Amino acid sequence: MNKEILKSIREYCRKLTDPDIASHSRRYFKTGPGEYGEGDVFLGIRTPDLKKTAKLYKDTDPATVSALLKSRYHEERTVALLIWVYQFQNGTPEAQQRIFETYLAHTRWINNWDLVDISAYKIVGAYLYDKDPAILFSLAQSRSLWERRIAVIATLAFIQKNRFNETLSLAEMLLHDHEDLIHKAVGWMLREVGKRDMQLLLAFLNPRYKLMPRTMLRYAIEKFDKPLRKKFLSGEIQTC
């Protein structure tokens, strides 16, 4: 680990902080007692500045990025993940495997929905596209909310290439998950499937929509025309 680079990144981040943004972020990311982001700490840095920081330090060595990911500050973890995404997208197969394995070994610190969403499909999904995706189904059974969300969001990399089986299988597995953030993630991915294959989404929803959490259903049918959306929400669709 390069302590000087780590110090440099942290000092750079401190120059970008804004107390008002930090206060808003604490509320937005539900950091209160008993909420999903309980205890998360924010510096208050805008997303464009985080992306700029990651680009500036894109060549940071793996050990230093891992150390940055373990930061108590949400934005420093964001920068670490953005660096990994850049390095994965521009790396050799060997580098990609290393980043993938390190990512999964550090899920403890990928612990809010935005951290998952900026990285899971670009690293985990992209890596697994031409490999055995069994790890996704293991993650979907994890006690960790964030590992379950990683499993679902990772399949966006598959969906973008018109491959839907894993998404639908995970949606089936997580149909009765107790976490609202999983309902949203599953519904979002189902909506993405529907953008590419409406009939497939309808075939999935038809026998299941009355069993789905309301949030999951609303996300899944968000792009439907209003009359069809109303029928789903009112339970008027005939199941088979």
Side-chain angles (χ1 to χ4, degrees):
M1 182 184 73
N2 190 321
K3 292 183 179 180
E4 289 303 313
I5 293 296
L6 183 61
K7 180 181 178 182
S8 177
I9 296 173
R10 287 174 168 164
E11 288 177 347
Y12 190 86
C13 286
R14 296 306 181 279
K15 295 176 183 178
L16 303 170
T17 61
D18 183 319
D20 291 335
I21 295 174
S23 178
H24 174 268
S25 295
R26 286 193 295 272
R27 296 190 301 272
Y28 184 70
F29 288 102
K30 308 295 185 183
T31 62
E35 295 181 310
Y36 63 75
E38 180 177 358
D40 207 350
V41 182
F42 287 82
L43 293 167
I45 305 176
R46 298 181 186 278
T47 298
D49 288 329
L50 294 172
K51 292 180 178 179
K52 179 181 177 181
T53 304
K55 186 175 181 181
L56 183 64
Y57 290 96
K58 60 184 171 54
D59 296 322
T60 301
D61 66 279
T64 303
V65 180
S66 295
L68 185 64
L69 184 63
K70 296 175 183 177
S71 171
R72 67 191 293 257
Y73 294 109
H74 187 102
E75 291 91 343
E76 290 184 355
R77 300 199 300 280
T78 302
V79 170
L81 291 168
L82 290 172
I83 291 172
W84 270 349
V85 167
Y86 178 87
Q87 292 178 347
F88 184 94
Q89 292 175 337
N90 294 277
T92 63
E94 293 75 18
Q96 291 177 339
Q97 180 177 355
R98 174 185 53 74
I99 293 168
F100 166 78
E101 292 174 349
T102 308
Y103 184 98
L104 291 184
H106 288 73
T107 55
R108 173 182 173 186
W109 292 279
I110 307 170
N111 57 354
N112 215 313
W113 60 264
D114 63 313
L115 302 178
V116 173
D117 294 358
I118 64 170
S119 59
Y121 75 98
K122 293 181 178 181
I123 294 175
V124 178
Y127 181 78
L128 291 175
Y129 181 76
D130 58 355
K131 301 174 182 67
D132 184 354
I135 184 64
L136 297 181
F137 296 92
S138 296
L139 289 169
Q141 298 177 66
S142 171
R143 295 179 62 182
S144 165
L145 158 64
W146 308 118
E147 290 189 347
R148 300 199 305 279
R149 189 169 175 110
I150 286 169
V152 178
I153 300 301
T155 67
L156 182 57
F158 302 169
I159 295 170
Q160 290 175 338
K161 296 184 179 180
N162 295 314
R163 173 174 154 187
F164 311 125
N165 287 344
E166 289 84 1
T167 303
L168 298 180
S169 295
L170 287 167
E172 181 78 47
M173 284 180 62
L174 295 168
L175 200 64
H176 303 293
D177 196 279
H178 62 281
E179 292 284 356
D180 186 63
L181 285 174
I182 299 300
H183 304 167
K184 291 177 179 178
V186 172
W188 172 21
M189 291 304 102
L190 289 175
R191 184 176 73 226
E192 292 300 317
V193 170
K195 289 179 181 178
R196 296 159 176 84
D197 193 330
M198 179 68 159
Q199 292 306 311
L200 181 62
L201 176 56
L202 289 172
F204 180 85
L205 291 177
N206 187 278
R208 299 174 179 86
Y209 80 98
K210 291 183 179 180
L211 306 174
M212 296 172 71
R214 200 69 166 176
T215 298
M216 187 185 296
L217 177 61
R218 286 186 178 278
Y219 270 60
I221 65 175
E222 186 178 14
K223 298 300 181 180
F224 288 10
D225 61 64
K226 188 173 181 179
L228 181 58
R229 192 166 66 247
K230 184 177 179 181
K231 286 184 177 181
F232 271 101
L233 293 174
S234 63
E236 297 175 18
I237 301 293
Q238 296 298 314
T239 59
C240 57

